[in-house]
DNA sequence: AATCGATTGGAAACTAACTTAACAATCACC
DNA sequence: GGTGATTGTTAAGTTAGTTTCCAATCGATT
């Protein structure tokens, strides 16, 4: 009944670390994993094709597939005909071998989806939350889970993995949620206990922006690089860092909490926010933009979106506020470059994805960063966090299912 | 004839990446590696002990050791007697199986050492450089290598790996040295070509502070953690980042170049430095401390060391300068925490290791960082960079030697 | 319509590597 | 000098994977 977070371990301790000795069975384990990966990626596929892709011999592929079929992870889905010779059996992942529930808890909305092991979404739903406190919010999440399961036509017990994208981070050393910011009461031990109680042992809690970064890796610009930073600027500020294809949480779970960058020179900073969500968040989040615009005398500045719209219309004062915001974000991106130097920076969030903002940030970056990596704006939308949770849950499900197979064979 | 940098690849692409299929031979390869690791760590050791440590059976251990012995990587070094039963043969790494040359090129000193495969240093030397340009400097390095080889009693051709710790970074995309800062002419293509010409195909170029971080990982505080940041503050400012036990260079080699952090509020900044070595370097390096002290009116401020000494003696103005420096360094450390959240921060360099500085930085950190990791001052000295180069070269030598064995068997 | 040729899937024989079990040889200690 | 622990090897058996060969199948060609 432990909450596990993030990037599936899976690392083969490198060299000095402490790799352990290998038995012949390991070969089988590796090869089944490899085959499974190919089947996942290349849809229905024949034994011969798999043999070609992996370099394994036909008898070996056959034996391994039998084993995978016995354990229920793959099945024959049809025959390929139309070519000379006998019809080839086509294998694919058995979608019913597992189901993943992804949830996104925000201040205003709860979103969720259920996907099967093949990755297709069986049910999806967003609701506006009415909850006043943490416990009510958890109840709403549980209700959402039930609704989704019903719609997907499965039992809750069939879920192999549940992933909750949430503000705040899970600190494995303290076994607690911390830095939950705007979500009141969410960082209490009771919240964590209640979540575990409702969602069981397979619950995995992922920072919402980290989840979005995973989605970006699977569906967005992160597909073709193996290290990138997803920088989200909107209601709050945060980052998800993917290095060597793996999301990094850091040793206290705070990797990417760039709201706490020690930049305090912003014009719109609110000291109350600075304590709770970090100095940089207070200086550069949407609320700070609104404050700065109001102070500068821009009219009709109820939301950051309106400030950006005014700037786009040619309001020079609003444009100055936007430029200042771009400078702040560029500084944050510059720190990320100097510290980890990723292949790519993806800007996300309401402000990060605003038209023209990317260019403004890049312009500033050019003058301050030691190198200029690719910088792109995210093209994903409101379902990003849920998609990331599903992807993370799928990954983890695969790991555990394959592991289980290997042991039981 | 390529310059390779840093952390040996060796990663088994995780999951989706592209792991390839396994043959039975892989088992042997893994097991030989594991045995070798144990022999390296646990000195002369018997077959039976190895069987116990690895969990492999005695016959398997015997067979693998024979193979390793045939390829010249290990040899029997003696017999253990004194216990009942036949004398056990003790195996150890054959030191002569390879030699590593580590070099540290600085503005004032060149340092170097040669170690054998077992890690013991066979020769060590530091010389003051008289070189006026890059080519002369390379000649001095080559001379140093010859002297060291003579002293160690080996031929230069016996070197399996040469590692040069140098200011600046190697950018694999441009195949060039960049950001070489104070070392004039060091970033020209001709320098790189000349280095390759002199030191051959096994040359590996490592940023000097990254090399120090490797030393810290092998000999210093980094031994018992698997992610830490070595932050060096002295003549220049830089960082070496070790995550999951592996040094990270980033995709342009600039990971850790925190001299380029966009902090410009320091009082001692010099605009010429800012362009060349980064805004933060210009604000917080030793020269900046001297400038700040001079401006504040501290007397006898020819070096940063004297400013720190004055502060320690009770000079309140000097103390204020030191406190300001601590604040700047704390901000840099805070950015590292918010971006990657390592287990540990190690402070190094003349300023970083100054008495009392650690405490001053921690005091500031407490008020700004979202979490406070372990922070320690390095206890390593002037030979750190060379030690790191040797460690990196040993690692790489092991990788290639073991790889070669596996193929040739 | 019959044959040809490509292709599939599996069976047999062989290789690589590990394990367990048994055994002969050795050495300290009583 | 006998006893018991320990070492290192040999033999037999298991898990995996490879190569080679073959029967069965199905579209295409004659």
């Amino acid at each position: 009944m432990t909450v596990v977070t993030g990037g599936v371990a899976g690392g083969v301790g490198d060299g000095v670390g402490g790799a352990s000795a290998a038995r012949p069975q390991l070969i089988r384990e590796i090869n089944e994993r490899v085959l499974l990966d190919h089947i996942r990626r290349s849809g229905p596929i024949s034994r011969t094709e798999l043999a070609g892709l992996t370099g394994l011999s036909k008898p070996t592929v056959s034996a391994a597939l039998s084993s995978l079929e016995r354990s229920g992870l793959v099945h024959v889905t049809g025959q390929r005909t139309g070519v000379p010779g006998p019809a080839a059996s086509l294998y694919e992942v058995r979608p019913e071998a597992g189901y993943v529930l992804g949830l996104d808890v925000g201040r205003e909305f709860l979103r969720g989806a259920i996907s099967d092991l093949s990755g297709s979404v069986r049910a999806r739903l967003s609701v506006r939350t009415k909850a006043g406190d943490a416990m009510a919010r958890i109840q709403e999440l549980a209700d959402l889970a039930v609704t989704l399961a019903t719609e997907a036509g499965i039992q809750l017990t069939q879920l192999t993995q549940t992933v909750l994208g949430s503000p705040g981070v899970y600190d494995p050393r303290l076994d607690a949620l911390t830095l939950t910011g705007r979500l009141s009461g969410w960082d209490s031990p009771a919240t964590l206990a209640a979540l575990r109680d409702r969602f069981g042992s397979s619950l995995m809690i992922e920072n919402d922006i980290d989840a979005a970064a995973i989605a970006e890796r699977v569906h967005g610009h992160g597909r073709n690089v193996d290290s990138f930073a997803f920088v989200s600027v909107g209601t709050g500020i945060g980052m998800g860092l993917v290095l060597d294809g793996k999301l990094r949480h850091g040793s206290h779970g705070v990797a990417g909490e760039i709201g706490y960058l020690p930049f305090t020179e912003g014009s719109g900073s609110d000291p109350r926010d600075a304590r709770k969500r970090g100095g940089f968040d207070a200086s550069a989040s949407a609320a700070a933009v609104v404050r700065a615009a109001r102070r500068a005398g821009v009219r009709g500045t109820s939301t950051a979106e309106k400030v950006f719209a005014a700037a786009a219309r040619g309001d020079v004062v609003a444009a100055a506020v936007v430029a200042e915001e771009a400078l702040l974000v560029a500084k944050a991106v510059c720190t990320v470059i100097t510290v980890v130097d990723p292949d790519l920076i993806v800007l996300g969030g309401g402000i990060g994805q605003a038209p023209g903002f990317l260019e403004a940030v890049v312009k500033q970056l050019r003058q301050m960063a030691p190198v200029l990596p690719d910088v792109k704006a995210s093209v994903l939308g409101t379902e990003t966090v849920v998609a990331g949770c599903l992807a993370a849950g799928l990954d983890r499900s695969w790991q555990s299912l394959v592991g289980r197979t290997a042991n039981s064979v």
Side-chain angles (χ1 to χ4, degrees), chain A:
Chain A
M1 191 87 135
T2 51
V3 171
V4 279
T5 43
V8 195
V12 181
D14 65 296
V16 187
S20 57
R23 305 294 115 76
Q25 288 87 320
L26 178 64
I27 298 287
R28 194 46 168 293
E29 208 174 309
I30 292 173
N31 287 339
E32 288 190 6
R33 228 186 202 98
V34 169
L35 285 170
L36 220 27
D37 280 347
H38 278 106
I39 296 173
R40 276 179 75 183
R41 265 204 297 273
S42 311
I45 186 170
S46 73
R47 290 192 246 254
T48 309
E49 286 166 329
L50 282 169
L53 282 173
T54 58
L56 293 169
S57 66
K58 284 190 296 171
T60 300
V61 171
S62 288
L65 285 181
S66 304
S67 160
L68 287 172
E69 200 168 10
R70 266 199 310 281
S71 60
L73 290 177
V74 305
H75 67 351
V76 176
T77 187
Q79 311 284 118
R80 167 153 40 234
T81 170
V83 289
S89 300
L90 300 179
Y91 285 79
E92 70 167 11
V93 165
R94 201 170 68 93
E96 307 78 27
Y99 295 93
V100 175
L101 168 62
L103 294 169
D104 171 14
V105 52
R107 217 166 34 135
E108 289 186 56
F109 290 94
L110 306 181
R111 304 177 199 277
I114 287 178
S115 112
D116 62 33
L117 243 205
S118 77
S120 40
V121 174
R122 297 287 186 98
R124 182 190 294 283
L125 196 59
S126 292
V127 298
R128 186 177 281 274
T129 175
K130 307 176 194 67
D133 62 11
M135 288 307 151
R137 207 175 290 264
I138 292 172
Q139 181 58 48
E140 287 184 346
L141 282 170
D143 293 344
L144 179 59
V146 170
T147 310
L148 285 166
T150 307
E151 194 178 321
I154 65 164
Q155 304 295 314
L156 284 176
T157 51
Q158 290 179 266
L159 293 174
T160 43
Q161 192 68 50
T162 300
V163 182
L164 173 64
S166 157
V169 302
Y170 174 74
D171 184 336
R173 303 189 170 198
L174 303 178
D175 184 34
L177 288 169
T178 57
L179 311 180
T180 52
R182 278 165 293 280
L183 220 53
S184 69
W186 203 246
D187 56 354
S188 96
T191 302
L192 189 53
L195 283 170
R196 283 171 169 166
D197 185 47
R198 287 305 180 106
F199 294 102
S201 63
S202 80
L203 178 65
M204 193 166 130
I205 297 181
E206 191 68 81
N207 172 272
D208 50 1
I209 294 178
D210 282 347
I214 294 171
E216 199 66 47
R217 162 140 187 83
V218 177
H219 303 115
H221 295 307
R223 260 172 310 179
N224 304 313
V225 298
D226 58 19
S227 80
F228 72 96
F230 174 75
V231 174
S232 174
V233 185
T235 327
I237 289 179
M239 176 179 77
L241 190 60
V242 173
L243 300 179
D244 290 343
K246 271 186 355 195
L247 184 78
R248 301 210 61 97
H249 296 95
S251 61
H252 311 81
V254 309
E257 290 297 304
I258 57 173
Y260 287 86
L261 281 175
F263 297 147
T264 47
E265 69 269 43
S267 46
S269 180
D270 176 337
R272 283 169 308 170
D273 283 0
R275 259 213 327 282
K276 253 174 100 177
R277 282 153 32 210
F280 182 61
D281 191 303
S283 308
S285 64
V289 169
V290 172
R291 274 195 301 275
R294 197 161 290 164
R295 197 167 312 170
V298 185
R299 290 159 56 94
T301 54
S302 51
T303 67
E305 214 171 345
K306 290 189 180 170
V307 178
F308 272 75
R313 276 197 310 273
D315 182 324
V316 289
V317 183
V321 171
V322 169
E324 175 69 16
E325 174 72 4
L327 176 61
L328 282 173
V329 171
K331 284 188 177 184
V333 171
C334 181
T335 64
V336 175
I337 294 171
T338 58
V339 174
V340 296
D341 181 21
D343 291 326
L344 167 71
I345 306 278
V346 178
L347 291 181
I351 293 179
Q353 291 175 251
F357 192 68
L358 171 73
E359 291 73 18
V361 171
V362 170
K363 184 181 162 196
Q364 296 289 348
L365 263 185
R366 235 180 262 285
Q367 296 173 5
M368 72 174 80
V371 294
L372 187 67
D374 268 359
V375 186
K376 296 178 178 171
S378 174
V379 293
L380 305 180
T382 52
E383 289 292 318
T384 311
V385 174
V386 170
C389 288
L390 288 179
L394 273 173
D395 241 43
R396 200 179 174 81
S397 285
W398 276 114
Q399 295 281 346
S400 60
L401 286 172
V402 175
R404 194 162 54 65
T405 306
N407 291 338
S408 68
V409 163

